Amino acid sequence: MGFFDFSGGGNMGFGSVKNVKGFTNEDLFEKLSAIKVSFGTPIMGDIFGTQSVMYKNATPYYDIFVRVHKDKIIMGKIGTDGTDSTVTAAQMEAELIMGSKDEENSFADRAVDELLEVIKKLESGEYITITDEAMPANTATGEPISLYMEQKLFSLKPRFDVFDQEKNVVFHVEGDITSHSFTIQQDGREVLKLKRKIAKIMDEYVLVKNGETIAELKKKFRIVNPEVSGTVNGAELRIMGDLMGIDYDIKIGGRKVAHVDQDKAHWSDCYRISIKDEDVQDIVIALAVICDHVSDKDSTWRH
């Protein structure tokens, strides 16, 4: 994505695609009605008299829309019917001022990204009936696993506890005083080791399991927002979204396995982690630690 690329993606809450297929709004409604997404079903509606395909009440405060605009298809979030516009505007303003999002804003922005990927596939002629986000999670219940990662303050060494909704500690993460090496532990046993390579212009990381390197990652330089990518067990890894605002997706082999955002109810660094593949829980925790390190370094550099 270029510096002046306004095509959306990255959990920004808007998107646009060149309408190379010449779709009409009626075409979009027909095609989207046959595709299952994670945030509702479409209806044909309008925004202040402009015809649009709408996903009503994607969240209590937001609808998601998509429509043809000149030679493009545009999409985004908009305050839902019956919601005080001043409340919606205040939410967006707080998001900009605080530099991070509440859970509802994060969900709405990710819904727009999900829709953006669907429209891109339709424009490229791909056949799609369900998005990755709408598919059952690879867990015992078929639902994503909800975890929370909280950094322990007032410690010489970086330390994190990862707990479930009942406040049970599931993972413990502890680094050395230089933040070059971390151990990820489950039930008091090390399940993964994270190492940061020294003397590199751009940060590089490796994940080691049972003595073998299973992942190599590198931070990419970007003026607006850093990006981390690499490979995990031979599959492509991409961490996409807003690392600085702590609102990003983790994709392995082209499929989303987790989402991480910030829990503003806690005064210290506390991240919500939604995991769709329980087989990679330890890897997701390690990646969240990497992103915390990247965002902290970039925040310090910017100030």
Side-chain angles (χ1 to χ4, degrees):
M1 180 183 295
F3 186 77
F4 295 105
D5 188 347
F6 297 103
S7 60
N11 300 345
M12 292 188 288
F14 65 89
S16 69
V17 176
K18 191 79 170 177
N19 189 9
V20 295
K21 296 286 188 180
F23 291 136
T24 65
N25 289 323
E26 289 80 5
D27 293 332
L28 291 176
F29 175 66
E30 179 182 356
K31 291 180 179 298
L32 292 173
S33 295
I35 300 172
K36 184 176 181 180
V37 297
S38 68
F39 50 90
T41 56
I43 65 169
M44 186 61 82
D46 71 82
I47 301 175
F48 302 116
T50 300
Q51 187 183 53
S52 303
V53 180
M54 307 289 296
Y55 292 83
K56 304 295 291 183
N57 300 109
T59 79
Y61 284 98
Y62 292 112
D63 295 338
I64 305 300
F65 76 90
V66 57
R67 65 180 176 86
V68 174
H69 177 69
K70 298 181 180 178
D71 63 342
K72 293 183 178 180
I73 296 174
I74 63 172
M75 64 214 71
K77 64 182 182 183
I78 188 171
T80 191
D81 294 343
T83 300
D84 188 336
S85 60
T86 58
V87 174
T88 304
Q91 277 198 324
M92 290 183 168
E93 183 179 8
E95 175 184 324
L96 291 172
I97 293 173
M98 296 175 67
S100 61
K101 306 171 185 177
D102 61 21
E103 191 169 8
E104 183 168 328
N105 268 298
S106 176
F107 180 87
D109 287 351
R110 284 183 284 130
V112 174
D113 279 3
E114 183 179 343
L115 183 57
L116 177 61
E117 291 305 310
V118 169
I119 299 300
K120 285 180 178 179
K121 289 181 179 180
L122 291 176
E123 287 287 359
S124 66
E126 292 185 47
Y127 178 75
I128 177 173
T129 59
I130 185 171
T131 63
D132 283 346
E133 289 79 1
M135 294 180 67
N138 180 32
T139 64
T141 63
E143 296 294 326
I145 298 171
S146 295
L147 298 177
Y148 300 84
M149 187 172 80
E150 187 170 38
Q151 184 169 11
K152 297 294 184 181
L153 301 181
F154 313 114
S155 174
L156 290 177
K157 298 188 294 184
R159 297 170 62 235
F160 302 84
D161 276 340
V162 181
F163 50 92
D164 61 21
Q165 292 177 310
E166 284 71 45
K167 301 293 184 180
N168 301 309
V169 175
V170 181
F171 291 94
H172 175 72
V173 181
E174 187 159 337
D176 62 18
I177 198 167
T178 65
S179 296
H180 286 143
S181 180
F182 291 81
T183 175
I184 292 87
Q185 302 171 2
Q186 187 174 25
D187 298 326
R189 178 178 62 89
E190 182 179 275
V191 294
L192 200 64
K193 186 178 290 291
L194 162 63
K195 296 181 179 181
R196 180 164 65 93
K197 293 184 179 181
I198 305 173
K200 294 289 183 179
I201 297 176
M202 301 304 297
D203 288 336
E204 295 184 17
Y205 306 85
V206 296
L207 302 184
V208 178
K209 191 168 191 173
N210 299 325
E212 294 186 6
T213 297
I214 64 167
E216 297 184 358
L217 307 96
K218 181 183 293 186
K219 172 189 169 184
K220 293 183 179 180
F221 177 77
R222 293 179 63 189
I223 295 175
V224 177
N225 190 31
E227 181 179 321
V228 175
S229 62
T231 59
V232 176
N233 292 320
E236 181 189 30
L237 164 74
R238 294 190 67 191
I239 300 178
M240 306 170 61
D242 183 1
L243 266 67
M244 298 303 296
I246 314 299
D247 186 23
Y248 54 85
D249 294 326
I250 297 172
K251 290 190 174 185
I252 296 177
R255 298 199 63 183
K256 187 173 85 171
V257 299
H259 178 78
V260 181
D261 59 20
Q262 197 162 20
D263 184 358
K264 299 303 291 185
H266 291 70
W267 65 276
S268 60
D269 286 344
C270 185
Y271 304 143
R272 283 186 295 256
I273 305 176
S274 177
I275 300 175
K276 293 197 67 175
D277 187 344
E278 61 185 350
D279 294 337
V280 295
Q281 289 185 77
D282 51 354
I283 293 175
V284 168
I285 300 307
L287 296 176
V289 172
I290 290 174
C291 291
D292 177 80
H293 177 259
V294 169
S295 64
D296 282 350
K297 279 192 66 178
D298 273 57
S299 179
T300 301
W301 176 77
R302 288 164 193 267
H303 290 86

